[in-house]
Amino acid sequence: MEEKYKGFAIGIDLGTTYSCVGVWQEQNDRVEIIHNDQGNKTTPSCVAFTNSQRLIGDAAKNQAASNPTNTIYDAKRLIGRKYSDSIVQKDIKLWPFKVTAGANDKPTIVVNYKGKEKHFLAEEISSVILTQMREIAEAFLESPVKNAVITVPAYFNDSQRRATKDAGEIAGLNVMRIINEPTAAALAYGLQKRANCVDKRNIFIFDLGGGTFDVSILTVKNNDYEVKATAGDTHLGGEDFDNRMVNHFVSEFKRKHKEEIIGNPKAIRRLRTACERAKRTLSYDTEATIDLDSIHQGIDFYSSITRAKFEQMNMNLFEKCMDTVNSCLADAKMDRGSVDDVVLVGGSSRIPKVRQLLQEFFQGKELCKSINPDEAVAYGAAIQAALVSEGIKSVPNLILRDVTPLSLGVELQGNLMSVVIPRNTSIPVKKTKSYHTVYDNQSYVTIKVYEGERTRASDNNLLGLFDFSVPPAPRCSIPIKECFSIDSDGILNVSAEEETNASKKAITITNENGRLSREEIEKMILQAEIFKAQDMEFKKKVKAINALDDYLYKVRKVMEDNCVSSKLTTVDKEKINSAMIKGKSLIDNNQQEDAFVFVDFLKELESIFESSMNKIKKGK
Ligand code: AMP
């Protein structure tokens, strides 16, 4: 029996560029995608630090151009990766914020917050976004929320999945399940389109987002969703198309104005925002303009780009997407004609060239555009959250069977990869394989666990390395059983067992490689609470300043009215005027003060003003 969780449970699509949250609504029998305080159903996955406060989502994105070095985005491109990873090194060159190597080769983001240098891991930045998504849901549900299903790209590896789970924990969430984004989208499609009919349907999910690309093929029959194969690229999406356009305009600027803007983070941030906007325009228009006043050294930059040029500069990336589609079908042992529905998910699936190539690939088949590509993943995550929650009766009893995206195995002598669980195996799964010692009187065996598809083990991703002691004996005489199990979150556990006539020994191995320790997580939870308290204090202060400002405005208006002010005694007039001067100066120099200073002063001002007004009233 599957474990069921008590209380509200939400589904979160933690995206590279935007995140989205949904909840199953028992009274309406459907998922509600929840809008944030700005009225938007997607929230930028962006966190900014300033001299006075921390900003999240739209507020962070909106000030990015003026504070580029302290505005952090793309945490999903860092999570679970090492600093030395060539992909990370390439990204660092494009980001205006600083990333350095931390302990265990973990990338560390460096910002300036309230005048001090602060360091964050990608898990912490993601946890801030997850907290924001939880708060959006709490405001809507008017109740605290603890449980969540979080989605990850199907092609995320073991470290990326674990790190995402850690981010959830730092956000104070109970992560009930990690599910794959295309699978979540398939659930949404199935439920909205009622594809879960009696006839078997093969559904192809094409999910091209801001930073990642995933495809999955599922067979759906009678509420049973079985993933047949998945493929993708955890570093391909809308931002790569933006980057190509940014590079194009950087070169054009250099050519036209003989100036290099690459070293000017503010200019690059403004250019990137303009490029993203132009890219969106090119999805419905054949030409888009770039219009940036005084972008660098006082120079205005006006230019334009055609859809054809945009397509040409990204063609090899679009073709890469189609190669992935092809290999996914091959893995599922299906031909393109047997696909019933091709479903578009992710903001970048709106690009007309991508749609055209995909339609051509599927021999002119009409693509399903009916589900909202920005919301489908959160929608599916919310369905999954309802399925594992206690007491929700209205959600259809769907069965979800996903697969593992990468082969898992151990290194054999000679640097050979021995696969224990091949990629695209249904999860959860448990598989055992027996190995032998290779030397006479060998005292221990080093078990190196890898994930990947390459024949040479060292070309794959090393997940963990463990020593296992064995009793001395001739070579090949000690059998070691290695058991690999993957849970429904796609997370691996390995155990080894040696059984001779004399002894039986077993160890369980968890991949802690590059993972946060319990103490580190506890420390980050505490840190997150401190930041949250500071955010609350700042909000309180802004509210108090605004209340004082409003009251000062009201008093000023009354004092400007001769009928009233002429009735005041000189002493009272002076008292009010000097209180108003003090109030204005408090507001103008508000940096160092706490919220209570403004609250207390407002009370003082109210008392001075009202007692003077009362005297006038009594005098009448
Ligand atoms: P997602 O991760 O699914 O939220 O997708 C976000 C990505 O989709 C960003 O890179 C956006 O720039 C991109 N995007 C959103 N709308 C469009 C559009 N109309 N045309 C092209 N790209 C888009």
Side-chain angles (χ1 to χ4, degrees):
M1 250 299 266
E2 196 162 35
E3 188 182 355
K4 295 268 182 181
Y5 298 84
K6 282 198 179 107
F8 279 114
I10 53 175
I12 304 176
D13 167 11
L14 178 63
T16 313
T17 44
Y18 293 91
S19 294
C20 185
V21 58
V23 66
W24 181 264
Q25 290 270 275
E26 186 85 312
Q27 62 274 35
N28 305 328
D29 276 9
R30 65 174 178 87
V31 170
E32 182 76 33
I33 298 294
I34 309 168
H35 53 75
N36 63 21
D37 58 355
Q38 300 298 304
N40 302 323
K41 288 194 173 177
T42 57
T43 299
S45 305
C46 191
V47 182
F49 299 86
T50 75
N51 268 338
S52 53
Q53 61 175 321
R54 188 179 69 161
L55 298 160
I56 310 164
D58 291 300
K61 194 172 182 200
N62 291 343
Q63 56 81 72
S66 59
N67 181 28
T69 50
N70 298 306
T71 303
I72 314 304
Y73 55 93
D74 273 0
K76 193 170 170 179
R77 287 196 151 181
L78 277 177
I79 205 160
R81 289 189 193 269
K82 294 195 169 81
Y83 177 78
S84 53
D85 185 330
S86 61
I87 289 178
V88 170
Q89 287 303 311
K90 238 168 133 182
D91 276 340
I92 288 175
K93 293 200 182 88
L94 298 169
W95 289 323
F97 50 86
K98 192 167 151 191
V99 180
T100 58
N104 298 325
D105 201 20
K106 272 176 100 63
T108 306
I109 300 155
V110 183
V111 297
N112 195 299
Y113 178 43
K114 296 189 172 177
K116 287 201 183 106
E117 188 174 289
K118 292 265 175 213
H119 292 190
F120 295 100
L121 297 179
E123 286 91 328
E124 288 176 279
I125 299 294
S126 292
S127 82
V128 175
I129 296 153
L130 289 171
T131 305
Q132 177 81 348
M133 303 319 287
R134 186 185 68 186
E135 286 172 0
I136 290 170
E138 287 178 340
F140 172 78
L141 294 165
E142 296 176 343
S143 165
V145 172
K146 183 92 186 140
N147 299 325
V149 168
I150 303 175
T151 58
V152 292
Y155 225 60
F156 250 22
N157 67 20
D158 196 66
S159 325
Q160 291 167 308
R161 283 167 197 270
R162 286 170 190 271
T164 305
K165 234 179 154 174
D166 287 346
E169 202 176 324
I170 299 166
L173 286 166
N174 170 34
V175 183
M176 303 186 295
R177 196 60 64 78
I178 294 278
I179 64 167
N180 292 333
E181 287 162 11
T183 313
L187 283 185
Y189 177 74
L191 208 75
Q192 287 180 29
K193 292 283 127 199
R194 302 288 165 202
N196 45 336
C197 51
V198 192
D199 295 333
K200 188 174 100 174
R201 285 188 89 75
N202 294 323
I203 301 178
F204 190 91
I205 304 287
F206 180 93
D207 181 359
L208 186 58
T212 57
F213 171 53
D214 276 309
V215 290
S216 286
I217 179 141
L218 297 95
T219 300
V220 182
K221 192 182 177 198
N222 289 335
N223 283 344
D224 190 345
Y225 289 67
E226 186 182 359
V227 181
K228 291 291 182 191
T230 194
D233 188 332
T234 52
H235 199 280
L236 175 61
E239 292 200 339
D240 300 289
F241 313 143
D242 300 345
N243 288 341
R244 293 262 167 111
M245 213 198 281
V246 169
N247 291 340
H248 164 80
F249 284 120
V250 165
S251 306
E252 186 178 308
F253 191 87
K254 197 172 170 186
R255 215 172 41 246
K256 278 188 182 162
H257 302 288
K258 310 277 172 288
E259 283 283 346
E260 187 69 84
I261 58 169
I262 208 80
N264 179 344
K266 277 191 188 174
I268 292 292
R269 180 69 234 184
R270 285 179 64 202
L271 180 60
R272 184 176 302 282
T273 305
C275 285
E276 202 229 355
R277 202 171 301 131
K279 175 189 72 176
R280 288 179 189 245
T281 304
L282 293 176
S283 288
Y284 60 82
D285 209 339
T286 52
E287 191 163 7
T289 53
I290 295 280
D291 199 342
L292 293 162
D293 288 341
S294 188
I295 182 168
H296 178 70
Q297 313 251 344
I299 305 168
D300 298 334
F301 185 52
Y302 306 126
S303 190
S304 66
I305 182 164
T306 61
R307 186 190 282 179
K309 180 75 196 166
F310 172 73
E311 289 171 355
Q312 183 209 329
M313 63 176 66
N314 285 298
M315 203 54 188
N316 68 330
L317 296 180
F318 298 159
E319 278 165 355
K320 206 169 156 195
C321 294
M322 297 310 137
D323 292 343
T324 306
V325 172
N326 201 14
S327 69
C328 184
L329 275 175
D331 277 350
K333 298 184 182 60
M334 271 188 205
D335 59 65
R336 43 191 97 182
S338 53
V339 170
D340 296 297
D341 305 299
V342 180
V343 182
L344 296 174
V345 184
S348 304
S349 70
R350 293 191 178 96
I351 296 173
K353 192 73 193 174
V354 169
R355 289 186 170 187
Q356 183 201 330
L357 291 174
L358 193 62
Q359 188 161 24
E360 279 167 14
F361 181 92
F362 283 102
Q363 298 154 334
K365 187 172 195 56
E366 211 38 62
L367 308 176
C368 306
K369 303 167 200 142
S370 54
I371 60 166
N372 186 322
D374 303 320
E375 298 171 7
V377 172
Y379 197 108
I383 298 171
Q384 178 64 39
L387 283 170
V388 289
S389 292
E390 205 174 85
I392 297 191
K393 295 187 187 72
S394 59
V395 65
N397 198 14
L398 309 177
I399 299 163
L400 187 61
R401 282 176 293 158
D402 219 316
V403 294
T404 181
L406 297 159
S407 299
L408 293 149
V410 290
E411 184 194 40
L412 293 185
Q413 204 189 13
N415 193 15
L416 266 186
M417 172 87 168
S418 164
V419 173
V420 179
I421 301 180
R423 73 167 190 271
N424 289 321
T425 301
S426 266
I427 56 166
V429 63
K430 195 169 180 174
K431 282 201 177 181
T432 305
K433 218 167 173 175
S434 277
Y435 298 93
H436 287 91
T437 48
V438 285
Y439 308 112
D440 288 341
N441 295 323
Q442 194 172 336
S443 58
Y444 67 90
V445 179
T446 300
I447 301 167
K448 279 184 168 178
V449 181
Y450 285 94
E451 64 184 354
E453 311 311 318
R454 307 285 295 272
T455 317
R456 275 181 7 179
S458 59
D459 288 338
N460 293 316
N461 181 30
L462 177 67
L463 291 177
L465 181 139
F466 320 96
D467 282 341
F468 186 63
S469 61
V470 286
R475 59 185 281 197
C476 292
S477 61
I478 303 269
I480 298 151
K481 268 206 292 190
E482 286 168 29
C483 174
F484 279 49
S485 66
I486 305 179
D487 64 17
S488 22
D489 293 337
I491 291 176
L492 172 74
N493 267 290
V494 179
S495 66
E497 193 179 299
E498 162 260 310
E499 195 170 3
T500 55
N501 292 340
S503 69
K504 179 176 172 167
K505 205 175 103 185
I507 54 166
T508 299
I509 300 155
T510 315
N511 170 25
E512 299 297 347
N513 191 14
R515 205 178 170 199
L516 299 172
S517 66
R518 180 99 310 269
E519 294 80 59
E520 282 172 313
I521 292 183
E522 298 292 342
K523 224 167 104 187
M524 286 176 188
I525 292 174
L526 207 71
Q527 192 65 40
E529 277 163 14
I530 294 171
F531 281 131
K532 192 155 189 286
Q534 288 175 355
D535 288 354
M536 299 284 281
E537 186 56 34
F538 186 80
K539 275 188 194 143
K540 231 164 86 187
K541 181 170 155 178
V542 171
K543 211 170 142 197
I545 291 176
N546 285 342
L548 177 60
D549 198 35
D550 282 350
Y551 199 76
L552 278 171
Y553 178 81
K554 183 179 142 190
V555 174
R556 198 175 311 119
K557 283 280 153 214
V558 173
M559 295 300 282
E560 279 165 10
D561 181 348
N562 249 340
C563 291
V564 182
S565 62
S566 60
K567 291 178 190 150
L568 286 167
T569 64
T570 319
V571 177
D572 280 354
K573 239 191 239 176
E574 265 172 21
K575 260 195 203 164
I576 294 172
N577 280 336
S578 76
M580 279 170 65
I581 291 167
K582 191 172 166 197
K584 180 153 187 328
S585 128
L586 260 182
I587 290 175
D588 290 345
N589 308 298
N590 69 47
Q591 286 293 336
Q592 302 305 323
E593 308 294 356
D594 288 328
F596 74 86
V597 175
F598 303 95
V599 174
D600 289 353
F601 187 75
L602 175 60
K603 282 187 198 143
E604 195 181 320
L605 180 63
E606 278 170 347
S607 141
I608 294 170
F609 184 65
E610 271 154 34
S611 81
S612 305
M613 290 298 117
N614 283 339
K615 278 188 209 163
I616 298 181
K617 275 185 204 152
K618 279 185 193 148
K620 262 188 175 175

